[in-house]
Amino acid sequence: MHPLHVAVVQGSTRDGRLGPVVANWLLSHAANRPDMTVDLIDLAETPLPAVFPQLGQAPAAAEDRALLAAVSPRLAAADAFVVVTPEYNHSYPASLKNAIDWHNREWHAKPVGFVAYGGFSGGLRAVEHLRGVFAELHAVTIREAVGLQGVWGQFDQEGKATDPAADAAATSMLDQLAWWAEALREARAKKPYAA
């Protein structure tokens, strides 16, 4: 089988964000795997419209369609996803919810892993909120997640994790994501998923 195609969605768009450091660290893990290719979708670099059309209608504005065209096909092409998210106010950022809500079938019957970061909770409250959202979109969230507590001290100047446990958690999450991605890709090929 050909390698699994994983879309890594970097959810923070805040000025001075640490998200790119965390996302690049995860990408370095995925790049070492022969069973995966990755595509980083940074929501700060690929912003999506904030105003939705009427339910069931396509966006009327050409600018909105162009913004979606930079993201939607990339999500559709993915076999699996990793969401990299900070925790804001015990949840995840609005930019991430907006990106999720613009899409539907792109998520169906595909696994989602998480790398969360923040202060005391390590971003895991954001992950728990996202699990319910992705269940509604017929995605499968995997159990193993990476939570980086006190993230500001978790990486050195080169963007490498200072705690070996973080690297082990990333490996474990990607291993589980690969299992689910392979199983669900095979299942979708045998019988298209109908939500």
Side-chain angles (χ1 to χ4, degrees):
M1 293 291 284
H2 59 279
L4 299 162
H5 186 61
V6 179
V8 176
V9 180
Q10 201 290 105
S12 175
T13 59
R14 179 175 282 181
D15 284 341
R17 64 202 172 121
L18 193 62
V21 173
V22 179
N24 287 331
W25 165 76
L26 177 72
L27 291 173
S28 72
H29 279 276
N32 291 327
R33 300 180 63 106
D35 61 342
M36 289 183 180
T37 62
V38 291
D39 177 18
L40 175 62
I41 301 172
D42 186 335
L43 297 179
E45 296 175 2
T46 54
L48 294 171
V51 178
F52 287 80
Q54 282 188 335
L55 190 61
Q57 300 295 313
E63 304 87 45
D64 290 352
R65 292 193 304 273
L67 291 172
L68 286 163
V71 174
S72 301
R74 295 163 69 187
L75 294 177
D79 295 306
F81 307 97
V82 176
V83 173
V84 177
T85 183
E87 182 180 312
Y88 295 163
N89 302 319
H90 287 212
S91 195
Y92 52 92
S95 53
L96 183 53
K97 183 66 161 74
N98 189 50
I100 293 167
D101 288 350
W102 269 109
H103 300 92
N104 191 311
R105 288 191 176 118
E106 291 84 353
W107 309 114
H108 288 187
K110 296 178 184 179
V112 182
F114 300 100
V115 175
Y117 58 94
F120 177 75
S121 76
L124 295 179
R125 291 178 288 213
V127 170
E128 291 311 308
H129 286 189
L130 283 163
R131 289 186 190 281
V133 173
F134 279 111
E136 179 63 18
L137 292 164
H138 300 264
V140 178
T141 61
I142 63 170
R143 182 187 179 280
E144 296 301 321
V146 179
L148 300 169
Q149 186 181 42
V151 70
W152 304 274
Q154 290 279 351
F155 296 95
D156 65 18
Q157 294 294 327
E158 297 173 353
K160 295 180 181 175
T162 57
D163 182 355
D167 292 319
T171 298
S172 180
M173 184 271 294
L174 290 172
D175 286 346
Q176 194 172 84
L177 185 74
W179 189 94
W180 278 102
E182 188 70 44
L184 290 171
R185 181 170 69 180
E186 184 177 325
R188 288 191 314 272
K190 287 181 180 175
K191 182 177 180 181
Y193 184 80

